[in-house]
Amino acid sequence: MEYQEYKIMYEAEDTHWWYRGMRGVMFRLLHLSHKPVRQPRILDAGCGTGGNLQALKSAGYRNIAGFDLSPIALEFTRKRGLENVRQGSITGIPFEDNGFDIAISCDVVTDAGTDNETVALKELYRVIKPGGRLFLNLPAFNFLRSEHDRATDVARRVTRPEIEAKLAAVGFKVKRATYWNMVLFPVVVAVRFLRRESSEDLQAPARSDIVLPPGPLNLGLTICVWLEHLLLRAISLPLGSSVAVVAVKPRKRPE
């Protein structure tokens, strides 16, 4: 990603409806509270500009750490006052075995910088304690590929069954998997089809969809996504532009 895209992300991700929605899904599926009684050790694998770490810190979680491949991203993360971050790859995580109660990784496993998804998932398995949990958020459905994907280094999009199978193959037990951003899915489809690229377009610089809408519109979109959070209490959603998964590392690895 270019410096400008990281800057846009840094400036938008605290208030942009999509980022707020994604963090809401993460908190909901992991059953994280905003006044934690205990302090699990949490790793953000591919922390980007630090929005998720900041949200965890603001909610009262103190035992948090992160890493990212990009020194530019880490520069923005440290601007937030978040110091427990390292440079490293998800295919070679710079932390010890069995060190974390929870690992989160948002839109990284299918990133262009991750050349081997199986190795990445094995690394996540390695650093999570037995009985610990993994939260993944990933872009869904290859037919949604557009200029946005190139700008944000999204190399691949997945379906729910695909990521469930890949997690099971490295030893995780999937506890919950759902699509999300279902209410706005028709709008996303329309926008992405309008921004589909020809071979000639690939020669020009790409720009993402990360634009902070005017306040009232951003609030309305945020409400749409938060309505989905209410549905997630009871059901997993059958459609959406992203897929979210919670998986557990068994206390004993299957033979």
Side-chain angles (χ1 to χ4, degrees):
M1 282 173 58
E2 298 178 0
Y3 178 89
Q4 184 62 24
E5 288 295 338
Y6 283 115
K7 184 174 183 292
I8 291 170
M9 182 186 299
Y10 173 76
E11 292 174 348
E13 66 176 332
D14 291 340
T15 53
H16 191 284
W17 65 270
W18 187 90
Y19 287 107
R20 293 177 68 186
M22 185 268 292
R23 288 193 292 269
V25 172
M26 178 181 79
F27 270 70
R28 171 72 61 191
L29 297 191
L30 286 172
H31 304 290
L32 299 177
S33 73
H34 287 271
K35 292 183 179 179
V37 175
R38 55 185 294 269
Q39 288 290 333
R41 192 175 183 214
I42 304 175
L43 175 69
D44 189 350
C47 60
T49 60
N52 292 333
L53 288 173
Q54 183 63 60
L56 289 165
K57 181 179 178 180
S58 297
Y61 292 91
R62 297 287 177 262
N63 200 2
I64 56 177
F67 70 89
D68 201 276
L69 185 62
S70 169
I72 300 173
L74 293 176
E75 178 184 331
F76 282 111
T77 298
R78 292 189 177 104
K79 284 179 69 174
R80 299 176 181 273
L82 299 164
E83 295 297 335
N84 193 15
V85 291
R86 304 176 186 178
Q87 185 174 5
S89 168
I90 199 167
T91 56
I93 295 176
F95 287 92
E96 72 278 12
D97 295 0
N98 305 316
F100 293 90
D101 301 286
I102 299 171
I104 64 175
S105 186
C106 299
D107 294 359
V108 177
V109 171
T110 57
D111 188 270
T114 306
D115 55 2
N116 192 315
E117 292 178 18
T118 299
V119 171
L121 294 175
K122 285 181 177 179
E123 278 291 278
L124 289 166
Y125 189 98
R126 176 183 67 79
V127 299
I128 295 172
K129 296 177 182 179
R133 294 172 291 163
L134 169 68
F135 172 85
L136 289 181
N137 187 84
L138 296 170
F141 301 117
N142 270 321
F143 68 81
L144 291 179
R145 286 197 61 81
S146 72
E147 181 184 0
H148 172 84
D149 295 73
R150 185 160 63 93
T152 55
D153 286 343
V154 174
R156 301 165 297 279
R157 288 176 166 267
V158 298
T159 63
R160 187 173 69 184
E162 286 171 348
I163 192 59
E164 287 180 315
K166 290 176 181 180
L167 286 165
V170 301
F172 282 106
K173 183 176 181 180
V174 175
K175 302 297 288 186
R176 184 80 186 274
T178 181
Y179 294 104
W180 70 274
N181 200 21
M182 182 178 72
V183 174
L184 298 171
F185 188 68
V187 178
V188 173
V189 172
V191 170
R192 294 297 170 83
F193 268 83
L194 287 172
R195 298 193 64 189
R196 296 194 76 165
E197 298 182 294
S198 67
S199 56
E200 293 180 358
D201 294 329
L202 297 177
Q203 307 307 314
R207 290 292 175 257
S208 72
D209 296 342
I210 305 171
V211 177
L212 186 62
L217 178 58
N218 192 54
L219 176 60
L221 294 171
T222 301
I223 291 171
C224 285
V225 176
W226 277 93
L227 290 174
E228 291 190 7
H229 296 171
L230 299 178
L231 290 175
L232 289 174
R233 293 179 179 178
I235 63 171
S236 293
L237 304 180
L239 203 62
S241 61
S242 296
V243 58
V245 184
V246 172
V248 174
K249 178 177 178 176
R251 296 187 183 278
K252 290 186 178 180
R253 183 156 192 166
E255 298 296 334

